[in-house]
Amino acid sequence: PIEKTMLLPKLESPEDYMRLITAAGLTIAHCEDMSAHVSKTWDISVGLVKSPKFWKLATKQGKDFINFLKGFEAMRAGFASKTFIYNFIVAHRS
Protein backbone atom coordinates (compact mmCIF):
# COMPACT_ATOMS: atom_id res chain seq x y z
CA PRO A 1 0.00 0.00 0.00
CA ILE A 2 2.91 2.42 0.52
CA GLU A 3 4.07 2.11 -3.09
CA LYS A 4 0.56 2.53 -4.43
CA THR A 5 -0.71 5.39 -2.28
CA MET A 6 2.53 7.34 -2.07
CA LEU A 7 2.97 7.10 -5.87
CA LEU A 8 6.33 5.33 -5.62
CA PRO A 9 8.08 2.87 -7.90
CA LYS A 10 8.68 -0.61 -6.56
CA LEU A 11 10.63 -0.35 -3.35
CA GLU A 12 13.56 -2.66 -2.76
CA SER A 13 15.43 -3.83 0.33
CA PRO A 14 18.53 -1.93 1.48
CA GLU A 15 20.62 -4.88 0.33
CA ASP A 16 19.13 -4.66 -3.17
CA TYR A 17 19.84 -0.92 -3.35
CA MET A 18 23.42 -1.52 -2.20
CA ARG A 19 23.87 -4.19 -4.89
CA LEU A 20 22.58 -1.74 -7.52
CA ILE A 21 24.90 0.98 -6.28
CA THR A 22 27.88 -1.37 -6.32
CA ALA A 23 26.93 -2.67 -9.77
CA ALA A 24 26.96 0.94 -11.01
CA GLY A 25 30.63 1.13 -10.03
CA LEU A 26 30.27 3.03 -6.77
CA THR A 27 31.73 2.14 -3.40
CA ILE A 28 29.45 2.28 -0.38
CA ALA A 29 31.00 4.39 2.35
CA HIS A 30 28.16 4.32 4.85
CA CYS A 31 24.70 2.80 5.32
CA GLU A 32 22.49 3.63 8.27
CA ASP A 33 18.89 2.88 9.22
CA MET A 34 17.38 6.31 9.96
CA SER A 35 13.86 5.00 10.63
CA ALA A 36 13.82 6.03 14.29
CA HIS A 37 14.60 9.61 13.25
CA VAL A 38 11.89 9.94 10.60
CA SER A 39 9.05 7.68 11.73
CA LYS A 40 7.63 10.32 14.06
CA THR A 41 6.92 12.43 10.95
CA TRP A 42 4.13 10.02 10.06
CA ASP A 43 2.60 10.17 13.54
CA ILE A 44 2.45 13.95 13.16
CA SER A 45 1.16 13.74 9.59
CA VAL A 46 -1.65 11.33 10.48
CA GLY A 47 -2.70 13.74 13.21
CA LEU A 48 -2.74 16.67 10.80
CA VAL A 49 -4.94 14.98 8.22
CA LYS A 50 -7.67 14.17 10.74
CA SER A 51 -9.10 17.67 10.40
CA PRO A 52 -12.38 17.82 8.40
CA LYS A 53 -11.27 21.21 7.03
CA PHE A 54 -8.17 19.56 5.63
CA TRP A 55 -10.21 16.90 3.81
CA LYS A 56 -12.51 19.54 2.36
CA LEU A 57 -9.46 21.20 0.84
CA ALA A 58 -7.99 17.84 -0.23
CA THR A 59 -11.10 16.85 -2.20
CA LYS A 60 -10.45 19.82 -4.48
CA GLN A 61 -7.03 18.39 -5.34
CA GLY A 62 -8.24 15.13 -6.87
CA LYS A 63 -8.17 11.39 -6.32
CA ASP A 64 -4.38 10.93 -6.43
CA PHE A 65 -3.91 13.51 -3.69
CA ILE A 66 -6.58 11.92 -1.52
CA ASN A 67 -4.98 8.48 -1.97
CA PHE A 68 -1.60 10.02 -1.10
CA LEU A 69 -3.03 11.31 2.16
CA LYS A 70 -4.56 7.93 2.92
CA GLY A 71 -1.08 6.50 2.50
CA PHE A 72 0.08 8.34 5.62
CA GLU A 73 -1.49 5.63 7.76
CA ALA A 74 0.30 2.94 5.71
CA MET A 75 3.60 4.73 6.26
CA ARG A 76 2.93 4.98 9.98
CA ALA A 77 2.03 1.28 10.18
CA GLY A 78 5.06 0.28 8.10
CA PHE A 79 7.46 2.08 10.41
CA ALA A 80 5.70 0.80 13.54
CA SER A 81 5.93 -2.82 12.35
CA LYS A 82 9.49 -2.31 11.05
CA THR A 83 8.45 -3.65 7.64
CA PHE A 84 9.28 -0.23 6.16
CA ILE A 85 12.65 1.31 6.87
CA TYR A 86 14.39 4.51 5.87
CA ASN A 87 18.01 3.84 5.02
CA PHE A 88 20.63 6.48 4.35
CA ILE A 89 23.29 5.26 1.92
CA VAL A 90 26.45 7.23 1.08
CA ALA A 91 28.48 6.09 -1.90
CA HIS A 92 31.34 7.45 -3.97
CA ARG A 93 33.08 6.69 -7.19
CA SER A 94 35.84 4.14 -6.78
Side-chain angles (χ1 to χ4, degrees):
I2 291 171
E3 291 169 348
K4 186 175 181 179
T5 60
M6 302 306 280
L7 306 173
L8 296 170
K10 183 176 179 340
L11 297 170
E12 304 293 342
S13 70
E15 295 78 21
D16 288 337
Y17 284 118
M18 288 188 281
R19 275 193 288 277
L20 291 167
I21 290 167
T22 303
L26 300 172
T27 300
I28 296 172
H30 183 75
C31 180
E32 185 175 348
D33 182 350
M34 302 293 290
S35 300
H37 300 285
V38 300
S39 63
K40 201 171 277 191
T41 300
W42 299 103
D43 294 333
I44 295 166
S45 298
V46 166
L48 291 173
V49 299
K50 288 184 178 179
S51 166
K53 289 180 183 178
F54 188 86
W55 284 99
K56 184 176 179 182
L57 175 67
T59 58
K60 296 177 183 177
Q61 303 305 313
K63 186 179 91 173
D64 285 342
F65 187 69
I66 289 172
N67 286 336
F68 177 77
L69 296 176
K70 289 178 179 177
F72 287 14
E73 192 60 55
M75 290 291 286
R76 183 181 184 188
F79 277 115
S81 66
K82 300 187 187 301
T83 57
F84 186 83
I85 58 172
Y86 187 102
N87 261 27
F88 179 74
I89 302 171
V90 177
H92 57 83
R93 294 183 193 265
S94 299

mmCIF file of all heavy atoms in Angstrom, residues 13-61:
data_model
loop_
_atom_site.group_PDB
_atom_site.id
_atom_site.type_symbol
_atom_site.label_atom_id
_atom_site.label_comp_id
_atom_site.label_asym_id
_atom_site.label_seq_id
_atom_site.Cartn_x
_atom_site.Cartn_y
_atom_site.Cartn_z
ATOM 1 N N SER A 13 14.779 -3.737 -0.987
ATOM 2 C CA SER A 13 15.433 -3.832 0.330
ATOM 3 C C SER A 13 16.731 -3.017 0.294
ATOM 4 O O SER A 13 17.279 -2.752 -0.782
ATOM 5 C CB SER A 13 15.755 -5.291 0.646
ATOM 6 O OG SER A 13 16.805 -5.737 -0.198
ATOM 7 N N PRO A 14 17.238 -2.644 1.459
ATOM 8 C CA PRO A 14 18.531 -1.934 1.483
ATOM 9 C C PRO A 14 19.635 -2.739 0.787
ATOM 10 O O PRO A 14 20.466 -2.166 0.080
ATOM 11 C CB PRO A 14 18.824 -1.777 2.974
ATOM 12 C CG PRO A 14 17.488 -1.812 3.629
ATOM 13 C CD PRO A 14 16.659 -2.764 2.796
ATOM 14 N N GLU A 15 19.604 -4.036 0.971
ATOM 15 C CA GLU A 15 20.619 -4.882 0.330
ATOM 16 C C GLU A 15 20.524 -4.795 -1.193
ATOM 17 O O GLU A 15 21.553 -4.738 -1.876
ATOM 18 C CB GLU A 15 20.470 -6.339 0.797
ATOM 19 C CG GLU A 15 20.756 -6.546 2.272
ATOM 20 C CD GLU A 15 19.606 -6.111 3.199
ATOM 21 O OE1 GLU A 15 18.443 -6.014 2.744
ATOM 22 O OE2 GLU A 15 19.900 -5.854 4.372
ATOM 23 N N ASP A 16 19.297 -4.779 -1.710
ATOM 24 C CA ASP A 16 19.125 -4.656 -3.166
ATOM 25 C C ASP A 16 19.644 -3.312 -3.669
ATOM 26 O O ASP A 16 20.310 -3.244 -4.705
ATOM 27 C CB ASP A 16 17.657 -4.825 -3.551
ATOM 28 C CG ASP A 16 17.171 -6.254 -3.413
ATOM 29 O OD1 ASP A 16 18.017 -7.179 -3.450
ATOM 30 O OD2 ASP A 16 15.952 -6.454 -3.265
ATOM 31 N N TYR A 17 19.333 -2.232 -2.931
ATOM 32 C CA TYR A 17 19.838 -0.915 -3.347
ATOM 33 C C TYR A 17 21.366 -0.883 -3.303
ATOM 34 O O TYR A 17 22.008 -0.333 -4.197
ATOM 35 C CB TYR A 17 19.260 0.197 -2.462
ATOM 36 C CG TYR A 17 17.833 0.526 -2.797
ATOM 37 C CD1 TYR A 17 16.832 0.344 -1.855
ATOM 38 C CD2 TYR A 17 17.479 1.026 -4.046
ATOM 39 C CE1 TYR A 17 15.502 0.646 -2.155
ATOM 40 C CE2 TYR A 17 16.162 1.323 -4.357
ATOM 41 C CZ TYR A 17 15.177 1.136 -3.410
ATOM 42 O OH TYR A 17 13.872 1.426 -3.717
ATOM 43 N N MET A 18 21.955 -1.504 -2.289
ATOM 44 C CA MET A 18 23.419 -1.522 -2.198
ATOM 45 C C MET A 18 24.027 -2.323 -3.344
ATOM 46 O O MET A 18 25.064 -1.937 -3.893
ATOM 47 C CB MET A 18 23.867 -2.036 -0.836
ATOM 48 C CG MET A 18 23.586 -1.009 0.259
ATOM 49 S SD MET A 18 24.284 -1.408 1.868
ATOM 50 C CE MET A 18 23.100 -2.597 2.474
ATOM 51 N N ARG A 19 23.379 -3.419 -3.738
ATOM 52 C CA ARG A 19 23.866 -4.192 -4.894
ATOM 53 C C ARG A 19 23.800 -3.347 -6.166
ATOM 54 O O ARG A 19 24.725 -3.362 -6.985
ATOM 55 C CB ARG A 19 23.045 -5.468 -5.066
ATOM 56 C CG ARG A 19 23.536 -6.623 -4.224
ATOM 57 C CD ARG A 19 22.903 -7.953 -4.651
ATOM 58 N NE ARG A 19 21.498 -8.045 -4.275
ATOM 59 C CZ ARG A 19 21.059 -8.410 -3.073
ATOM 60 N NH1 ARG A 19 21.913 -8.717 -2.122
ATOM 61 N NH2 ARG A 19 19.772 -8.486 -2.824
ATOM 62 N N LEU A 20 22.712 -2.605 -6.341
ATOM 63 C CA LEU A 20 22.577 -1.739 -7.520
ATOM 64 C C LEU A 20 23.640 -0.645 -7.532
ATOM 65 O O LEU A 20 24.220 -0.335 -8.580
ATOM 66 C CB LEU A 20 21.179 -1.115 -7.567
ATOM 67 C CG LEU A 20 20.024 -2.071 -7.851
ATOM 68 C CD1 LEU A 20 18.683 -1.396 -7.558
ATOM 69 C CD2 LEU A 20 20.082 -2.561 -9.289
ATOM 70 N N ILE A 21 23.886 -0.069 -6.389
ATOM 71 C CA ILE A 21 24.899 0.985 -6.279
ATOM 72 C C ILE A 21 26.279 0.436 -6.615
ATOM 73 O O ILE A 21 27.038 1.033 -7.387
ATOM 74 C CB ILE A 21 24.870 1.600 -4.863
ATOM 75 C CG1 ILE A 21 23.579 2.406 -4.679
ATOM 76 C CG2 ILE A 21 26.108 2.452 -4.605
ATOM 77 C CD1 ILE A 21 23.286 2.802 -3.233
ATOM 78 N N THR A 22 26.595 -0.727 -6.059
ATOM 79 C CA THR A 22 27.884 -1.368 -6.322
ATOM 80 C C THR A 22 28.009 -1.755 -7.793
ATOM 81 O O THR A 22 29.056 -1.558 -8.412
ATOM 82 C CB THR A 22 28.057 -2.600 -5.409
ATOM 83 O OG1 THR A 22 27.933 -2.175 -4.047
ATOM 84 C CG2 THR A 22 29.408 -3.257 -5.607
ATOM 85 N N ALA A 23 26.924 -2.277 -8.358
ATOM 86 C CA ALA A 23 26.930 -2.668 -9.774
ATOM 87 C C ALA A 23 27.135 -1.459 -10.684
ATOM 88 O O ALA A 23 27.655 -1.593 -11.795
ATOM 89 C CB ALA A 23 25.626 -3.382 -10.128
ATOM 90 N N ALA A 24 26.766 -0.280 -10.230
ATOM 91 C CA ALA A 24 26.957 0.944 -11.009
ATOM 92 C C ALA A 24 28.385 1.478 -10.883
ATOM 93 O O ALA A 24 28.722 2.517 -11.442
ATOM 94 C CB ALA A 24 25.952 2.008 -10.562
ATOM 95 N N GLY A 25 29.224 0.745 -10.136
ATOM 96 C CA GLY A 25 30.625 1.128 -10.028
ATOM 97 C C GLY A 25 30.944 2.041 -8.860
ATOM 98 O O GLY A 25 32.038 2.599 -8.799
ATOM 99 N N LEU A 26 30.020 2.189 -7.934
ATOM 100 C CA LEU A 26 30.269 3.031 -6.768
ATOM 101 C C LEU A 26 30.656 2.180 -5.568
ATOM 102 O O LEU A 26 30.330 0.998 -5.495
ATOM 103 C CB LEU A 26 29.017 3.849 -6.439
ATOM 104 C CG LEU A 26 28.522 4.781 -7.540
ATOM 105 C CD1 LEU A 26 27.171 5.371 -7.163
ATOM 106 C CD2 LEU A 26 29.523 5.871 -7.828
ATOM 107 N N THR A 27 31.342 2.797 -4.636
ATOM 108 C CA THR A 27 31.728 2.139 -3.398
ATOM 109 C C THR A 27 30.867 2.705 -2.274
ATOM 110 O O THR A 27 30.753 3.931 -2.133
ATOM 111 C CB THR A 27 33.211 2.404 -3.080
ATOM 112 O OG1 THR A 27 33.996 1.896 -4.158
ATOM 113 C CG2 THR A 27 33.630 1.738 -1.782
ATOM 114 N N ILE A 28 30.292 1.841 -1.495
ATOM 115 C CA ILE A 28 29.445 2.279 -0.384
ATOM 116 C C ILE A 28 30.342 2.652 0.789
ATOM 117 O O ILE A 28 31.130 1.838 1.271
ATOM 118 C CB ILE A 28 28.416 1.195 -0.005
ATOM 119 C CG1 ILE A 28 27.474 0.976 -1.178
ATOM 120 C CG2 ILE A 28 27.666 1.587 1.269
ATOM 121 C CD1 ILE A 28 26.535 -0.180 -1.042
ATOM 122 N N ALA A 29 30.197 3.890 1.232
ATOM 123 C CA ALA A 29 31.004 4.386 2.349
ATOM 124 C C ALA A 29 30.260 4.256 3.672
ATOM 125 O O ALA A 29 30.871 4.073 4.719
ATOM 126 C CB ALA A 29 31.377 5.845 2.105
ATOM 127 N N HIS A 30 28.934 4.337 3.611
ATOM 128 C CA HIS A 30 28.156 4.316 4.848
ATOM 129 C C HIS A 30 26.713 3.927 4.537
ATOM 130 O O HIS A 30 26.161 4.335 3.524
ATOM 131 C CB HIS A 30 28.183 5.703 5.496
ATOM 132 C CG HIS A 30 27.465 5.782 6.805
ATOM 133 N ND1 HIS A 30 27.983 5.267 7.972
ATOM 134 C CD2 HIS A 30 26.267 6.319 7.130
ATOM 135 C CE1 HIS A 30 27.136 5.491 8.958
ATOM 136 N NE2 HIS A 30 26.083 6.133 8.474
ATOM 137 N N CYS A 31 26.122 3.147 5.421
ATOM 138 C CA CYS A 31 24.704 2.796 5.321
ATOM 139 C C CYS A 31 24.147 2.791 6.737
ATOM 140 O O CYS A 31 24.715 2.147 7.623
ATOM 141 C CB CYS A 31 24.523 1.432 4.661
ATOM 142 S SG CYS A 31 22.792 0.953 4.505
ATOM 143 N N GLU A 32 23.056 3.524 6.924
ATOM 144 C CA GLU A 32 22.486 3.627 8.267
ATOM 145 C C GLU A 32 20.963 3.639 8.204
ATOM 146 O O GLU A 32 20.369 4.318 7.372
ATOM 147 C CB GLU A 32 22.976 4.916 8.926
ATOM 148 C CG GLU A 32 22.553 5.082 10.359
ATOM 149 C CD GLU A 32 23.159 6.316 10.998
ATOM 150 O OE1 GLU A 32 24.079 6.930 10.430
ATOM 151 O OE2 GLU A 32 22.695 6.675 12.094
ATOM 152 N N ASP A 33 20.349 2.889 9.090
ATOM 153 C CA ASP A 33 18.890 2.882 9.216
ATOM 154 C C ASP A 33 18.485 4.128 10.001
ATOM 155 O O ASP A 33 18.807 4.266 11.175
ATOM 156 C CB ASP A 33 18.430 1.616 9.939
ATOM 157 C CG ASP A 33 16.923 1.504 10.080
ATOM 158 O OD1 ASP A 33 16.209 2.480 9.791
ATOM 159 O OD2 ASP A 33 16.465 0.431 10.501
ATOM 160 N N MET A 34 17.795 5.035 9.353
ATOM 161 C CA MET A 34 17.382 6.310 9.962
ATOM 162 C C MET A 34 15.908 6.285 10.383
ATOM 163 O O MET A 34 15.342 7.323 10.733
ATOM 164 C CB MET A 34 17.607 7.455 8.965
ATOM 165 C CG MET A 34 19.033 7.593 8.474
ATOM 166 S SD MET A 34 20.173 8.099 9.763
ATOM 167 C CE MET A 34 19.661 9.776 10.010
ATOM 168 N N SER A 35 15.294 5.122 10.366
ATOM 169 C CA SER A 35 13.855 4.999 10.629
ATOM 170 C C SER A 35 13.432 5.666 11.931
ATOM 171 O O SER A 35 12.405 6.357 11.976
ATOM 172 C CB SER A 35 13.446 3.529 10.652
ATOM 173 O OG SER A 35 13.730 2.921 9.422
ATOM 174 N N ALA A 36 14.194 5.470 12.991
ATOM 175 C CA ALA A 36 13.818 6.031 14.287
ATOM 176 C C ALA A 36 13.778 7.558 14.250
ATOM 177 O O ALA A 36 13.052 8.176 15.021
ATOM 178 C CB ALA A 36 14.799 5.562 15.362
ATOM 179 N N HIS A 37 14.546 8.148 13.339
ATOM 180 C CA HIS A 37 14.605 9.607 13.248
ATOM 181 C C HIS A 37 13.489 10.200 12.391
ATOM 182 O O HIS A 37 13.201 11.384 12.511
ATOM 183 C CB HIS A 37 15.957 10.049 12.689
ATOM 184 C CG HIS A 37 17.109 9.602 13.528
ATOM 185 N ND1 HIS A 37 17.436 10.190 14.725
ATOM 186 C CD2 HIS A 37 17.989 8.588 13.355
ATOM 187 C CE1 HIS A 37 18.484 9.580 15.240
ATOM 188 N NE2 HIS A 37 18.835 8.591 14.437
ATOM 189 N N VAL A 38 12.906 9.405 11.505
ATOM 190 C CA VAL A 38 11.889 9.940 10.595
ATOM 191 C C VAL A 38 10.483 9.386 10.837
ATOM 192 O O VAL A 38 9.505 9.963 10.359
ATOM 193 C CB VAL A 38 12.275 9.723 9.112
ATOM 194 C CG1 VAL A 38 13.590 10.411 8.790
ATOM 195 C CG2 VAL A 38 12.348 8.251 8.757
ATOM 196 N N SER A 39 10.373 8.306 11.566
ATOM 197 C CA SER A 39 9.054 7.678 11.729
ATOM 198 C C SER A 39 8.049 8.584 12.440
ATOM 199 O O SER A 39 6.852 8.541 12.147
ATOM 200 C CB SER A 39 9.177 6.341 12.460
ATOM 201 O OG SER A 39 9.675 6.539 13.765
ATOM 202 N N LYS A 40 8.528 9.418 13.330
ATOM 203 C CA LYS A 40 7.631 10.321 14.059
ATOM 204 C C LYS A 40 6.918 11.294 13.099
ATOM 205 O O LYS A 40 5.827 11.770 13.385
ATOM 206 C CB LYS A 40 8.411 11.087 15.115
ATOM 207 C CG LYS A 40 7.544 11.635 16.213
ATOM 208 C CD LYS A 40 8.373 12.199 17.343
ATOM 209 C CE LYS A 40 8.795 11.065 18.247
ATOM 210 N NZ LYS A 40 9.373 11.484 19.507
ATOM 211 N N THR A 41 7.535 11.569 11.962
ATOM 212 C CA THR A 41 6.921 12.429 10.947
ATOM 213 C C THR A 41 5.529 11.922 10.578
ATOM 214 O O THR A 41 4.598 12.701 10.389
ATOM 215 C CB THR A 41 7.795 12.459 9.673
ATOM 216 O OG1 THR A 41 9.070 12.967 10.017
ATOM 217 C CG2 THR A 41 7.171 13.277 8.570
ATOM 218 N N TRP A 42 5.398 10.601 10.497
ATOM 219 C CA TRP A 42 4.128 10.021 10.060
ATOM 220 C C TRP A 42 3.098 10.043 11.174
ATOM 221 O O TRP A 42 1.907 10.143 10.919
ATOM 222 C CB TRP A 42 4.365 8.633 9.468
ATOM 223 C CG TRP A 42 5.263 8.806 8.296
ATOM 224 C CD1 TRP A 42 6.603 8.539 8.236
ATOM 225 C CD2 TRP A 42 4.932 9.406 7.051
ATOM 226 N NE1 TRP A 42 7.105 8.920 7.024
ATOM 227 C CE2 TRP A 42 6.097 9.453 6.266
ATOM 228 C CE3 TRP A 42 3.748 9.905 6.508
ATOM 229 C CZ2 TRP A 42 6.130 9.977 4.981
ATOM 230 C CZ3 TRP A 42 3.767 10.433 5.215
ATOM 231 C CH2 TRP A 42 4.945 10.458 4.468
ATOM 232 N N ASP A 43 3.528 9.984 12.422
ATOM 233 C CA ASP A 43 2.597 10.169 13.538
ATOM 234 C C ASP A 43 2.013 11.583 13.480
ATOM 235 O O ASP A 43 0.810 11.783 13.627
ATOM 236 C CB ASP A 43 3.294 9.964 14.886
ATOM 237 C CG ASP A 43 3.772 8.535 15.096
ATOM 238 O OD1 ASP A 43 3.171 7.619 14.506
ATOM 239 O OD2 ASP A 43 4.745 8.351 15.841
ATOM 240 N N ILE A 44 2.884 12.555 13.260
ATOM 241 C CA ILE A 44 2.447 13.955 13.162
ATOM 242 C C ILE A 44 1.534 14.140 11.949
ATOM 243 O O ILE A 44 0.478 14.769 12.049
ATOM 244 C CB ILE A 44 3.668 14.889 13.080
ATOM 245 C CG1 ILE A 44 4.459 14.825 14.385
ATOM 246 C CG2 ILE A 44 3.249 16.321 12.756
ATOM 247 C CD1 ILE A 44 5.846 15.443 14.306
ATOM 248 N N SER A 45 1.928 13.578 10.823
ATOM 249 C CA SER A 45 1.157 13.736 9.586
ATOM 250 C C SER A 45 -0.238 13.142 9.699
ATOM 251 O O SER A 45 -1.216 13.741 9.252
ATOM 252 C CB SER A 45 1.899 13.093 8.415
ATOM 253 O OG SER A 45 3.136 13.733 8.220
ATOM 254 N N VAL A 46 -0.335 11.960 10.297
ATOM 255 C CA VAL A 46 -1.647 11.332 10.476
ATOM 256 C C VAL A 46 -2.531 12.223 11.348
ATOM 257 O O VAL A 46 -3.715 12.391 11.085
ATOM 258 C CB VAL A 46 -1.511 9.905 11.068
ATOM 259 C CG1 VAL A 46 -2.835 9.381 11.574
ATOM 260 C CG2 VAL A 46 -0.935 8.963 10.014
ATOM 261 N N GLY A 47 -1.941 12.822 12.362
ATOM 262 C CA GLY A 47 -2.697 13.736 13.213
ATOM 263 C C GLY A 47 -3.192 14.956 12.454
ATOM 264 O O GLY A 47 -4.323 15.408 12.649
ATOM 265 N N LEU A 48 -2.372 15.482 11.565
ATOM 266 C CA LEU A 48 -2.742 16.674 10.802
ATOM 267 C C LEU A 48 -3.895 16.421 9.836
ATOM 268 O O LEU A 48 -4.743 17.289 9.642
ATOM 269 C CB LEU A 48 -1.536 17.200 10.021
ATOM 270 C CG LEU A 48 -0.406 17.799 10.835
ATOM 271 C CD1 LEU A 48 0.787 18.113 9.939
ATOM 272 C CD2 LEU A 48 -0.874 19.052 11.557
ATOM 273 N N VAL A 49 -3.913 15.234 9.232
ATOM 274 C CA VAL A 49 -4.938 14.985 8.220
ATOM 275 C C VAL A 49 -6.268 14.520 8.816
ATOM 276 O O VAL A 49 -7.185 14.190 8.076
ATOM 277 C CB VAL A 49 -4.460 13.991 7.132
ATOM 278 C CG1 VAL A 49 -3.251 14.538 6.402
ATOM 279 C CG2 VAL A 49 -4.184 12.619 7.695
ATOM 280 N N LYS A 50 -6.397 14.541 10.116
ATOM 281 C CA LYS A 50 -7.672 14.171 10.741
ATOM 282 C C LYS A 50 -8.677 15.317 10.723
ATOM 283 O O LYS A 50 -9.862 15.101 10.957
ATOM 284 C CB LYS A 50 -7.447 13.695 12.175
ATOM 285 C CG LYS A 50 -6.800 12.335 12.236
ATOM 286 C CD LYS A 50 -6.658 11.835 13.648
ATOM 287 C CE LYS A 50 -6.041 10.439 13.624
ATOM 288 N NZ LYS A 50 -5.861 9.910 14.969
ATOM 289 N N SER A 51 -8.231 16.500 10.407
ATOM 290 C CA SER A 51 -9.096 17.671 10.403
ATOM 291 C C SER A 51 -10.082 17.636 9.228
ATOM 292 O O SER A 51 -9.674 17.495 8.070
ATOM 293 C CB SER A 51 -8.253 18.943 10.294
ATOM 294 O OG SER A 51 -9.052 20.045 9.967
ATOM 295 N N PRO A 52 -11.387 17.771 9.490
ATOM 296 C CA PRO A 52 -12.375 17.818 8.398
ATOM 297 C C PRO A 52 -12.106 18.968 7.418
ATOM 298 O O PRO A 52 -12.325 18.823 6.220
ATOM 299 C CB PRO A 52 -13.703 18.023 9.122
ATOM 300 C CG PRO A 52 -13.479 17.506 10.505
ATOM 301 C CD PRO A 52 -12.030 17.793 10.800
ATOM 302 N N LYS A 53 -11.592 20.087 7.915
ATOM 303 C CA LYS A 53 -11.266 21.214 7.035
ATOM 304 C C LYS A 53 -10.185 20.822 6.039
ATOM 305 O O LYS A 53 -10.206 21.226 4.882
ATOM 306 C CB LYS A 53 -10.809 22.418 7.849
ATOM 307 C CG LYS A 53 -11.906 23.092 8.632
ATOM 308 C CD LYS A 53 -11.364 24.278 9.397
ATOM 309 C CE LYS A 53 -12.446 24.905 10.248
ATOM 310 N NZ LYS A 53 -11.930 26.035 11.032
ATOM 311 N N PHE A 54 -9.256 20.017 6.497
ATOM 312 C CA PHE A 54 -8.174 19.564 5.630
ATOM 313 C C PHE A 54 -8.733 18.707 4.499
ATOM 314 O O PHE A 54 -8.349 18.861 3.350
ATOM 315 C CB PHE A 54 -7.143 18.782 6.448
ATOM 316 C CG PHE A 54 -5.918 18.441 5.664
ATOM 317 C CD1 PHE A 54 -4.875 19.338 5.564
ATOM 318 C CD2 PHE A 54 -5.810 17.225 5.014
ATOM 319 C CE1 PHE A 54 -3.746 19.031 4.830
ATOM 320 C CE2 PHE A 54 -4.682 16.907 4.279
ATOM 321 C CZ PHE A 54 -3.652 17.821 4.195
ATOM 322 N N TRP A 55 -9.643 17.790 4.823
ATOM 323 C CA TRP A 55 -10.212 16.898 3.814
ATOM 324 C C TRP A 55 -11.079 17.660 2.822
ATOM 325 O O TRP A 55 -11.130 17.313 1.647
ATOM 326 C CB TRP A 55 -10.980 15.750 4.468
ATOM 327 C CG TRP A 55 -10.009 14.747 5.006
ATOM 328 C CD1 TRP A 55 -9.595 14.619 6.285
ATOM 329 C CD2 TRP A 55 -9.263 13.793 4.249
ATOM 330 N NE1 TRP A 55 -8.643 13.635 6.391
ATOM 331 C CE2 TRP A 55 -8.423 13.109 5.152
ATOM 332 C CE3 TRP A 55 -9.221 13.439 2.909
ATOM 333 C CZ2 TRP A 55 -7.560 12.096 4.748
ATOM 334 C CZ3 TRP A 55 -8.362 12.429 2.508
ATOM 335 C CH2 TRP A 55 -7.538 11.769 3.418
ATOM 336 N N LYS A 56 -11.719 18.703 3.272
ATOM 337 C CA LYS A 56 -12.506 19.538 2.356
ATOM 338 C C LYS A 56 -11.587 20.156 1.307
ATOM 339 O O LYS A 56 -11.890 20.149 0.117
ATOM 340 C CB LYS A 56 -13.253 20.622 3.135
ATOM 341 C CG LYS A 56 -14.161 21.454 2.283
ATOM 342 C CD LYS A 56 -14.942 22.455 3.125
ATOM 343 C CE LYS A 56 -15.840 23.295 2.227
ATOM 344 N NZ LYS A 56 -16.569 24.295 2.980
ATOM 345 N N LEU A 57 -10.458 20.652 1.762
ATOM 346 C CA LEU A 57 -9.464 21.201 0.843
ATOM 347 C C LEU A 57 -8.889 20.105 -0.052
ATOM 348 O O LEU A 57 -8.713 20.295 -1.255
ATOM 349 C CB LEU A 57 -8.350 21.886 1.636
ATOM 350 C CG LEU A 57 -7.165 22.407 0.837
ATOM 351 C CD1 LEU A 57 -7.601 23.556 -0.062
ATOM 352 C CD2 LEU A 57 -6.059 22.855 1.775
ATOM 353 N N ALA A 58 -8.608 18.952 0.515
ATOM 354 C CA ALA A 58 -7.995 17.841 -0.230
ATOM 355 C C ALA A 58 -8.885 17.351 -1.359
ATOM 356 O O ALA A 58 -8.391 16.989 -2.425
ATOM 357 C CB ALA A 58 -7.672 16.695 0.723
ATOM 358 N N THR A 59 -10.195 17.343 -1.155
ATOM 359 C CA THR A 59 -11.100 16.852 -2.200
ATOM 360 C C THR A 59 -11.015 17.698 -3.458
ATOM 361 O O THR A 59 -11.281 17.210 -4.555
ATOM 362 C CB THR A 59 -12.560 16.787 -1.709
ATOM 363 O OG1 THR A 59 -12.961 18.084 -1.278
ATOM 364 C CG2 THR A 59 -12.730 15.789 -0.590
ATOM 365 N N LYS A 60 -10.611 18.937 -3.314
ATOM 366 C CA LYS A 60 -10.455 19.818 -4.481
ATOM 367 C C LYS A 60 -9.192 19.501 -5.275
ATOM 368 O O LYS A 60 -9.033 19.964 -6.398
ATOM 369 C CB LYS A 60 -10.432 21.280 -4.030
ATOM 370 C CG LYS A 60 -11.727 21.730 -3.402
ATOM 371 C CD LYS A 60 -11.634 23.152 -2.906
ATOM 372 C CE LYS A 60 -12.939 23.538 -2.213
ATOM 373 N NZ LYS A 60 -12.873 24.885 -1.650
ATOM 374 N N GLN A 61 -8.303 18.705 -4.698
ATOM 375 C CA GLN A 61 -7.027 18.392 -5.341
ATOM 376 C C GLN A 61 -7.069 17.117 -6.185
ATOM 377 O O GLN A 61 -6.129 16.821 -6.905
ATOM 378 C CB GLN A 61 -5.922 18.280 -4.286
ATOM 379 C CG GLN A 61 -5.756 19.510 -3.432
ATOM 380 C CD GLN A 61 -5.518 20.765 -4.253
ATOM 381 O OE1 GLN A 61 -4.695 20.773 -5.158
ATOM 382 N NE2 GLN A 61 -6.249 21.817 -3.946
#
